[in-house]
Structure formats: C-alpha cells, structure tokens
C-alpha cells in the first residue's frame, strides 16, 4: 500500500519521534503497566504505522465489501441495506411460558427467535427420565414431543420468522419437530428459515454434551445437512460454534482456528457423502463469541472471513460466491459477565456488541446483565435488546461499511490473527494426514483440544489472580454491599405441568405407530441410510425425544470421555 521510499521516510520519522518526543515522557512519567495485552494475552504495540502493514496488498487482502476475500464484509451495503438480525436467546419453564417470552420479544422489536432448551432436552432425555429430576425447564424450555413444539410456536408464523435452535446431540430431533410442525400447518418446507446449531465437533472439543461417540455423531450431522439441502434450502443446518470454545477458556485465535477447522471438517464429510460443495456450503453458518478486547475481536471477525474464503477456494474447489462468503452470528461473552455489581455488565455487553457490529456480524445476541445470577428477567432482556437498537439507530456504527478498515492497528491485528489461526488449522490437518476432519477426530481422541484450551484458561486465570488482568468489581473497584438485582425464578410447578403433558401425550398417541416408526429408524441406521426422514415420521407419531435418542444409543453405544477415550 506504500512504496519503499514512503516507508523509509515513515521509519525515519518514527525514530525521530521516539528520540525527541516519546523518550522524555517515558523517562518522566512512564506508562500504566510494563506490558499491554488483550484478554487472549496477545501483546499489542504502543503505536501502529504503515510499516506494520507494509506487506498488505489492498486488492488481494482487503478488496471491497461483497467481494473476495470478504475481509471488509460479506455484502456490498452491509447494514446500510438492512441491520443485523437481533436474535435474543430465550427459553425457560414450559412451552407456554417461553411462547409468552417470544411474543414479548417480537412486540419489543426483536427480528428473529432463538430457542434455549433445558438440560434434559439438550441431552436427549425425556422429562420423566430419573436423570431429569431437578432440571426440567431450569435453564431453558422443556421439549419432549411434537406437542411441546406446537405450543412453543403458537401464534408465530413459521413462514415469516427466522428461528435459531441452540441444541446439539438431539438437534436432529428438534429439527424434525420443526419440519413436522410446518407440515402440520401446511407451511412449505422450502420457506422455513432459521439455524440449527448441530455442531458435535464443538461438543467433544469444549461444551461436553453428547450421547453417542464422535464418528456416528458426525454422521448424524451430515444427515441433517443432506436432508436440509434437499428439503429446507433456506434453513442453515449447522451453526459451527466457536462461542462455547471461547467460553471454555480458549484464546481468540484458538476460538477462530478450532471453529473454522470444525467447519472444514463438516465440508469434507459432506463431500465424502457425495454432496457437491456448492450445493450445501452456502447454507453453512458460524457462531462466534465477542469478548472484551475491542480491536482483537474486530480483527478476529475480519480474519475469519478472509481465511474461510481462501480455504474454501484453495482446498475444496468452491466456485459459488455464497460457498466462500462466511456468515456468522455473534453472542456477547457470557464468560465476561460478573455476579458482582451486575449493572457493570450492561457496559461490557455494549462494548462487545459494538465490536461485533464493527466486525460485520449478520446476527447478534446481547447478554442480559443478570445472567451471571440466573436466567434473564424481562427488564434485563429489554435492556439487552435496546442496546442493539441504540447501536443500530443512534450510534452511526451501522452507517459506514467496515469503518475500521484501513486502521493500521486493526489491519495489523487482522494479519497476525490470520497467520496464527492458520498455523493451528494446518497443525490439525497434519494430525489427520491431510484431512481436517480426521485431524479433528484424532485431536478429540488424544485430548489435543482439551489441553490447548485448558492451558489458555489457566494462564488467563493466573493473570486475574495476580492482578495483571483487571476485572472491574471483582479484583478492582469492589464494593462491600450486595448489588444483586431481582432475578427470574422458575415456577416450582413447572416440572409437574411438563410431566402431566408428557403423560397425556403418551396416553393419547398410537403406541403401535410409535413402535413402528422407531423400528424403521433403527433399521435405517443399520442400512446406513439418512436418518432424518425416519426421525420426522417418528416425531409425527409423537415419539418422545428420549425414545428417539435411545434408538441411536442402541445402534452406536453411549459415549463416555476419559480424556477423549470411549
């Protein structure tokens, strides 16, 4: 971007500035600390100049929005065309209570739904399973059968709303319920819009929710991709999720590298299944965390788009623009929220949300200030949503496409993050002897990801304990008095009401039809057929979540981890 004569002049001027201006200030006043680093412990320089991006080729590395390598954004007009989808994560208690919250959020201006499920549903258990006791409806909505899904979306137009489902081992069942609900209402499958998380690699790497071992779990993920490509072409069958990798304690670079590697692993598995990359890749989506280090996060998002475009082109021969255009949802960092002085979280979330917008996210969830204490209450949810609306409508951040583009600091950080992330991705590929997918499976088995994330998490906590990393209200600027707000409390009759509904469904359904559907699903698994059509048939017969997931456990065995070993 600068010729060598210009750079030499800038270097000389920089040396003069240091000698004549900077050194005297450092001698007399010094700086606040000896070392400045991001939350990820990536050291940042005092000042960035054109010399830090001397190797940057504008057209090759940046280009223009909506064109490769998409560093400056996946679409030409970005938020000048329309703002990001404001999609607040919501779900608690029974389907009725969550349906009420959905209608409240829509009335307040939310533009997309995002469903949080309780732990039994996430783990593929029915509410009447002994393991579910004490957990029904506690951290999300309880969904046992299609009946719950019918109530959950009562009064909501499936053809108009875009819905995200944050669920993984039992994702095929929830997706089947949504498809079945559309069929029952006469809504064409081709009109359904939304996203299914369905990211099992991430579960084995970080979040630790699973039912069956990694390889059959991967096969089910690809079943969903194959089925969705044919049946629900506007629906995203995977949200490849770095969010939980970051929440587990990874650095920003690890989050980016492991997430993109997971995405490439799914691409490889689908291609091996016989799918053409340009048929399914346009519907892949990603999900990133946005933490406190403002410029690092913006650079991470920009680097993500550039890496994805280049790798999809070079490694997987993607030709369609949509196959190389990385789209992602962002959620502010739950890990950063503090139970101490919880109103401080409003500020943290605002900074993180602004970084997500300046980084070019397509969809955004802002955490509520009370989430370190409980599920969010209505007041806290409204503040979180208003945070997005103020950024969109009042800040001007949505009016310029990639306003951080050209910043010496941001461009230098983008390059550094890209290079460090690619080293990780290449290492994973080498683990798999040239296959990213096989490298991920081997890394899971050998505990590679676990070690990398644990080391980063431990190092961060050590810095907090030493006071090198300031957490306002926790290790600095503390208060003695209790500043906790009122929190949402789940109705103690929730479990009772959910169990009554499940019992009623079991009494009313045709047990013969359920048995036949489950038997057909098991036989399809034995024949290595795509399981999705059979799961749809089973949920239409009102087979329960647990009954369907038990078929997979019978076929593939349950998975338990001892440093990744079954």
């Amino acid at each position: 971007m600068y010729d060598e004569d210009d750079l030499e002049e800038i270097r000389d001027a920089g040396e003069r500035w240091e000698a004549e201006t900077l050194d005297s200030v450092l001698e007399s006043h010094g700086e606040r600390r000896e070392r400045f680093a991001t939350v990820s412990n990536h050291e940042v320089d005092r000042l960035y100049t054109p010399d830090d991006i001397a190797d940057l080729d504008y057209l090759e590395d940046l280009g223009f929005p909506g064109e490769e390598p998409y560093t400056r954004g996946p679409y030409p007009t970005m938020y000048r065309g329309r703002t990001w989808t404001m999609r607040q994560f919501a779900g608690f208690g029974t389907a009725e209570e969550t349906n009420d919250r959905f209608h409240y959020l829509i009335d307040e201006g939310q533009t997309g739904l995002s469903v949080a499920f309780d732990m039994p549903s996430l783990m593929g258990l029915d509410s009447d399973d002994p393991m579910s006791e004490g957990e029904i409806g506690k951290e999300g909505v309880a969904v046992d059968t299609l009946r719950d899904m019918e109530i959950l979306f009562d009064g909501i137009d499936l053809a108009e709303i875009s819905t995200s489902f944050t669920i993984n081992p039992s994702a095929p069942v929830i997706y089947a319920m949504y498809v079945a609900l559309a069929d029952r209402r006469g809504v064409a499958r081709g009109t359904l819009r939304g996203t299914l998380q369905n990211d099992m690699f991430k579960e084995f790497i970080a979040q630790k929710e699973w039912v069956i071992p990694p390889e059959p779990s991967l096969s089910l993920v690809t079943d969903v991709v194959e089925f969705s490509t044919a049946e629900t072409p506007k629906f995203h069958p995977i949200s490849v999720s770095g969010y939980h990798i970051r929440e587990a304690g990874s650095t920003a670079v690890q989050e980016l590298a492991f997430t993109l590697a997971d995405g490439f692993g799914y691409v490889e598995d689908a291609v091996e299944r016989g799918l053409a990359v340009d048929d399914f890749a346009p519907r892949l989506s990603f999900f990133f965390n946005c933490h406190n280090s403002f410029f690092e996060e913006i650079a991470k998002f920009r680097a993500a788009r550039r890496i994805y475009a280049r790798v999809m082109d070079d490694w997987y021969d993607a030709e369609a623009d949509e196959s190389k255009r990385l789209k992602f949802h962002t959620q502010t960092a739950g890990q950063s929220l503090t139970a101490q002085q919880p109103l401080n979280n409003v500020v943290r979330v605002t900074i993180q949300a602004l970084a997500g917008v300046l980084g070019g996210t397509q969809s955004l969830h802002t955490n509520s200030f009370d989430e370190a204490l409980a599920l969010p209450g209505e007041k806290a949810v409204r503040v979180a949503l208003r945070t997005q609306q103020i950024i969109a409508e009042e800040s001007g951040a949505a009016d310029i496409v990639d306003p951080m583009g050209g910043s010496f600091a941001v461009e230098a950080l983008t390059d550094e993050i890209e290079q460090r992330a690619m080293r990780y991705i290449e290492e994973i590929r080498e683990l798999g002897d040239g296959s990213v997918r096989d490298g991920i499976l081997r890394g899971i088995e050998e505990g590679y990801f676990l070690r990398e994330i644990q080391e980063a998490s431990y190092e961060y906590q050590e810095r907090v304990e030493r006071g090198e990393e300031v957490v306002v209200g926790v290790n600095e600027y503390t208060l003695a008095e209790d500043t906790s707000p009122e929190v949402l409390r789940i109705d103690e009759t929730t479990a009772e009401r959910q169990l009554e509904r499940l019992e009623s469904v079991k009494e009313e359904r045709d047990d013969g039809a359920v048995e036949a559907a489950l038997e057909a699903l098991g036989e399809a698994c034995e024949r290595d057929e795509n399981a999705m059509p059979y799961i749809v048939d089973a949920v239409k017969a009102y087979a329960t979540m647990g009954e369907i997931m038990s078929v997979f456990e019978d076929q593939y065995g349950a998975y338990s981890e001892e440093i990744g070993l079954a």
Side-chain angles (χ1 to χ4, degrees):
M1 291 177 67
Y2 293 83
D3 64 32
E4 189 56 38
D5 290 341
D6 289 336
L7 291 172
E8 190 59 40
E9 186 177 350
I10 291 167
R11 292 186 195 110
D12 290 342
E15 291 173 3
R16 178 202 55 75
W17 170 76
E18 289 181 3
E20 297 179 6
T21 304
L22 176 64
D23 287 348
S24 61
V25 173
L26 291 178
E27 288 173 10
S28 60
H29 301 294
E31 293 181 319
R32 287 186 292 120
R33 56 178 77 114
E34 290 184 6
R35 180 176 181 272
F36 289 80
T38 68
V39 168
S40 300
N41 203 26
H42 178 68
E43 191 165 353
V44 294
D45 295 339
R46 174 184 297 110
L47 182 72
Y48 291 84
T49 73
D51 196 32
D52 292 287
I53 56 170
D55 296 330
L56 188 72
D57 182 315
Y58 183 88
L59 294 178
E60 182 71 19
D61 298 325
L62 296 182
F64 293 91
E67 294 181 354
E68 291 187 55
Y70 303 108
T71 309
R72 305 206 65 183
Y75 303 111
T77 59
M78 289 301 289
Y79 311 131
R80 288 171 69 105
R82 71 178 184 88
T83 60
W84 58 93
T85 301
M86 300 179 190
R87 193 190 299 279
Q88 294 298 112
F89 197 38
F92 63 93
T94 63
E96 289 92 346
E97 291 161 313
T98 299
N99 178 260
D100 287 344
R101 176 63 64 87
F102 284 170
H103 283 285
Y104 170 78
L105 288 168
I106 291 169
D107 290 344
E108 292 293 332
Q110 180 167 303
T111 54
L113 297 178
S114 184
V115 188
F117 295 93
D118 70 357
M119 185 55 70
S121 300
L122 293 172
M123 296 301 294
L125 300 172
D126 291 335
S127 295
D128 60 4
D129 189 294
M131 291 288 289
S132 300
E133 187 174 353
E135 294 292 338
I136 301 169
K138 286 294 177 69
E139 61 179 54
V141 63
V143 175
D144 292 312
T145 70
L146 180 58
R147 181 72 50 79
D148 295 309
M149 192 68 83
E150 292 166 347
I151 297 167
L152 187 62
F153 288 94
D154 183 45
I156 294 171
D157 189 343
L158 303 188
E160 292 297 324
I161 199 74
S162 172
T163 305
S164 175
F165 298 95
T166 301
I167 195 162
N168 294 283
S170 48
V173 182
I174 291 296
Y175 172 54
M177 288 181 181
Y178 199 60
V179 171
L181 178 61
D183 290 349
R184 290 280 169 88
R185 289 190 182 177
V187 176
R189 293 179 177 183
T191 65
L192 293 179
R193 294 180 300 114
T195 304
L196 190 69
Q197 192 160 104
N198 192 34
D199 179 4
M200 286 308 301
F201 278 152
K202 170 264 300 177
E203 293 298 330
F204 294 107
I205 287 171
Q207 197 173 19
K208 310 302 182 185
E209 291 172 3
W210 54 63
V211 175
I212 57 178
E215 291 201 37
S217 293
L218 173 58
S219 181
L220 270 179
V221 170
T222 306
D223 281 355
V224 173
V225 173
E226 184 177 38
F227 181 88
S228 179
T229 299
E231 297 289 331
T232 58
K234 292 183 178 180
F235 197 90
H236 299 282
I238 307 178
S239 175
V240 190
S241 303
Y243 182 85
H244 310 88
I245 293 171
R246 190 69 177 279
E247 291 290 290
S250 79
T251 65
V253 168
Q254 288 171 336
E255 176 199 358
L256 175 58
F258 297 166
T259 305
L260 291 181
D262 288 351
F264 300 143
Y266 293 130
V267 168
E268 290 180 6
D269 201 68
V271 168
E272 186 170 294
R273 176 76 67 93
L275 299 177
V277 67
D278 286 325
D279 286 344
F280 69 86
R283 301 312 295 166
L284 298 181
S285 65
F286 289 77
F287 174 20
F288 290 110
N289 196 301
C290 198
H291 217 291
N292 286 331
S293 291
F294 190 71
F295 298 110
E296 179 177 56
E297 295 301 310
I298 295 168
K300 178 186 75 180
F301 298 134
R302 299 170 87 250
R305 285 190 292 269
R306 190 152 76 204
I307 293 171
Y308 189 74
R310 289 175 173 170
V311 169
M312 289 298 289
D313 193 345
D314 295 344
W315 293 4
Y316 304 115
D317 298 323
E319 295 182 1
D321 289 343
E322 281 299 311
S323 298
K324 295 178 276 188
R325 197 193 312 266
L326 182 141
K327 289 89 63 181
F328 62 89
H329 171 70
T330 303
Q331 182 173 340
T332 57
Q335 181 199 57
S336 73
L337 302 180
T338 63
Q340 301 92 329
Q341 302 177 40
L343 283 175
N344 293 344
N345 294 327
V346 175
V347 182
R348 293 187 178 99
V349 167
T350 302
I351 292 168
Q352 294 162 10
L354 183 58
V357 169
L358 294 177
T361 191
Q362 278 60 71
S363 173
L364 181 62
H365 165 92
T366 34
N367 290 330
S368 299
F369 65 80
D370 56 357
E371 286 189 56
L373 299 164
L375 290 174
E378 279 195 3
K379 176 182 177 182
V381 166
R382 185 169 60 250
V383 170
L385 179 58
R386 293 289 184 258
T387 300
Q388 295 199 48
Q389 292 165 338
I390 290 169
I391 291 173
E393 303 294 347
E394 298 185 23
S395 73
D399 298 347
I400 301 171
V401 179
D402 187 30
M404 301 304 293
S407 157
F408 303 133
V410 169
E411 298 299 358
L413 285 170
T414 301
D415 284 351
E416 290 169 18
I417 289 172
E418 177 187 13
Q419 292 161 14
R420 294 169 67 201
M422 279 305 302
R423 284 199 289 272
Y424 264 121
I425 293 168
E426 292 283 9
E427 185 176 352
I428 294 165
R429 198 183 190 198
E430 287 173 13
L431 274 176
D433 296 323
S435 165
V436 178
R437 178 196 62 184
D438 293 349
I440 294 166
L441 290 169
R442 183 177 175 187
I444 291 167
E445 181 181 348
E446 296 181 356
Y448 166 81
F449 299 103
L450 180 66
R451 288 191 301 273
E452 291 290 324
I453 294 170
Q454 283 185 337
E455 286 174 13
S457 178
Y458 179 78
E459 188 276 333
Y460 170 78
Q461 191 58 39
E462 283 278 281
R463 286 191 289 126
V464 172
E465 297 293 335
R466 292 193 299 264
E468 295 172 12
E469 190 79 37
V470 172
V471 183
V472 173
V474 176
N475 63 356
E476 290 283 353
Y477 314 109
T478 58
L479 292 175
E481 69 265 27
D482 182 11
T483 57
S484 299
E486 290 186 15
V487 298
L488 175 69
R489 306 211 178 266
I490 302 302
D491 188 333
E492 292 187 4
T493 67
T494 291
E496 180 182 336
R497 288 182 285 121
Q498 184 65 23
L499 290 170
E500 286 175 356
R501 175 153 60 235
L502 178 56
E503 183 180 3
S504 173
V505 169
K506 287 183 175 181
E507 288 176 353
E508 295 171 4
R509 70 187 186 180
D510 182 338
D511 289 339
V514 171
E515 185 177 344
L518 295 174
E519 185 177 337
L521 174 59
E523 291 171 352
C525 293
E526 291 175 0
R527 296 191 300 267
D528 288 328
E529 283 187 46
N530 190 307
M532 279 307 307
Y534 300 93
I535 302 174
V536 173
D537 289 343
V539 301
K540 285 182 176 179
Y542 290 92
T544 69
M545 169 77 76
E547 289 168 340
I548 294 169
M549 293 306 295
S550 291
V551 173
F552 297 117
E553 283 192 77
D554 292 343
Q555 289 291 326
Y556 306 115
Y559 181 76
S560 61
E561 182 203 50
E562 296 176 4
I563 314 300
L565 300 178

